[in-house]
């Protein structure tokens, strides 16, 4: 199974500042033949189900604010929140879908400083 | 509007069984792959099982293989998960999740979840 490791486990950021979450996979989740990166990001607010934010590493799901962006390739990926808002307080998960079983990172908790 | 509504969770003794259901609406259910994903209390997400739109392909996590059975009824727009030989470590919120377009293994819509508690 591909192991997904996120860093940090938690971070506190001031309102309006940038938040950066890293995700590393134990093997590449990029497919060279189609240049696709099989990596998704989810946001889970307290007491709610996860919500898809980004897939193909950098494609924003419809309705997701453009302050959320994803980047990376191979084994190293990043979710950036360019200007943190109060409603962005949540746990964020990365997930690979390059191979079965799909696997998630352990989550990164984002709070307001 | 896409809606996924799970039901069937509850308290069950170790070794017991439960059947979870997920009622889907707001999209063409028989065109989408479906999944179950679980989350133990205070823990992260764990994918459990997948079923293709035509029921031709089914996958399970190793942790549930041989104990859980996924199924679907496209005529009823419903997804199911039969949980047998339950263990304490199966205690979790179980989410029904729709597969991303193009038959990929990301999850674009999730239900609110149903809690399964395995305890004597």
């Amino acid at each position: 199974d591909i192991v997904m490791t996120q860093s940090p486990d938690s971070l506190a950021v001031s309102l309006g500042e940038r938040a950066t979450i890293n995700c590393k996979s134990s093997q590449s989740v990029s497919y060279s033949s189609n240049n696709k990166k099989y990596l998704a990001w989810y946001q889970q607010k307290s007491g709610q189900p996860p919500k898809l934010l980004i897939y193909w590493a950098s494609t924003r799901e419809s309705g997701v604010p453009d302050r959320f962006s994803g980047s990376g390739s191979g084994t190293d990926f990043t979710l950036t929140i360019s200007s943190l808002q109060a409603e962005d307080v949540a746990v964020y998960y990365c997930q690979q879908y390059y191979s079965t079983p799909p696997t998630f990172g352990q989550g990164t908790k984002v709070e307001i400083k | 509007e896409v809606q996924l509504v799970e039901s069937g969770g509850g308290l069950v003794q170790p070794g017991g069984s439960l059947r979870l259901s997920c009622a889907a609406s707001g999209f063409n259910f028989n065109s989408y792959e479906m999944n179950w994903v679980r989350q133990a209390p205070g823990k992260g997400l764990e994918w459990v099982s997948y079923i293709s739109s035509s029921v031709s392909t089914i996958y399970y996590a190793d942790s549930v293989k041989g104990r859980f059975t996924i199924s679907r009824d496209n005529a009823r727009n419903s997804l199911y998960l039969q949980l047998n030989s339950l263990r304490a470590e199966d205690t979790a919120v179980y989410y029904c999740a729709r597969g991303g377009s193009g038959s990929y293994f990301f999850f674009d819509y999730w239900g609110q979840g149903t809690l399964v508690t395995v305890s004597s």
Side-chain angles (χ1 to χ4, degrees), chain B residues 2 6 17 22-23 28 36 42 47 68-69 85 96 105:
Chain B
V2 172
E6 301 94 337
S17 298
C22 171
N28 190 5
W36 289 97
W47 170 81
F68 291 8
T69 302
S85 303
C96 164
F105 251 121

Side-chain angles (χ1 to χ4, degrees), chain A residues 1 36 38 40 42 44 47-52 55-56 61 93 95-97 100-102 104 106, chain B residues 35 37 39 43-47 59-62 95 101 104-113:
Chain A
D1 297 1
K36 282 184 177 291
Y38 290 65
Y42 301 86
Q44 188 176 32
Q48 296 185 19
K51 172 189 175 184
L52 176 67
Y55 55 100
W56 299 126
E61 175 71 332
Y93 295 93
Q95 178 231 330
Q96 67 80 20
Y97 49 102
T100 307
F104 295 88
Q106 79 278 16
Chain B
N35 299 265
V37 179
Q39 186 170 36
K43 303 296 184 184
L45 301 167
E46 180 189 17
W47 170 81
Y59 298 119
Y60 296 101
D62 285 346
Y95 295 104
S101 61
Y104 292 104
F105 251 121
F106 60 89
F107 315 113
D108 62 358
Y109 285 93
W110 300 61
Q112 289 296 314

Side-chain angles (χ1 to χ4, degrees), chain A residues 2-28:
Chain A
I2 297 177
V3 177
M4 308 299 290
T5 304
Q6 293 179 227
S7 61
D9 290 332
S10 65
L11 75 161
V13 176
S14 299
L15 288 172
E17 295 300 305
R18 178 185 299 260
T20 302
I21 301 169
N22 300 301
C23 176
K24 189 174 185 67
S25 56
S26 60
Q27 65 185 77
S28 175

Side-chain angles (χ1 to χ4, degrees), chain A residues 17-88:
Chain A
E17 295 300 305
R18 178 185 299 260
T20 302
I21 301 169
N22 300 301
C23 176
K24 189 174 185 67
S25 56
S26 60
Q27 65 185 77
S28 175
V29 298
S30 297
Y31 207 3
S32 55
S33 64
N34 61 9
N35 200 31
K36 282 184 177 291
K37 298 114 180 180
Y38 290 65
L39 192 286
W41 288 97
Y42 301 86
Q43 174 193 64
Q44 188 176 32
K45 297 181 180 180
S46 180
Q48 296 185 19
K51 172 189 175 184
L52 176 67
L53 293 178
I54 286 171
Y55 55 100
W56 299 126
S58 60
T59 301
R60 258 189 310 276
E61 175 71 332
S62 175
V64 173
D66 61 6
R67 64 180 180 273
F68 291 92
S69 63
S71 62
S73 64
T75 62
D76 293 284
F77 298 88
T78 300
L79 175 69
T80 301
I81 310 171
S82 61
S83 176
L84 191 75
Q85 304 300 304
E87 61 265 32
D88 301 334

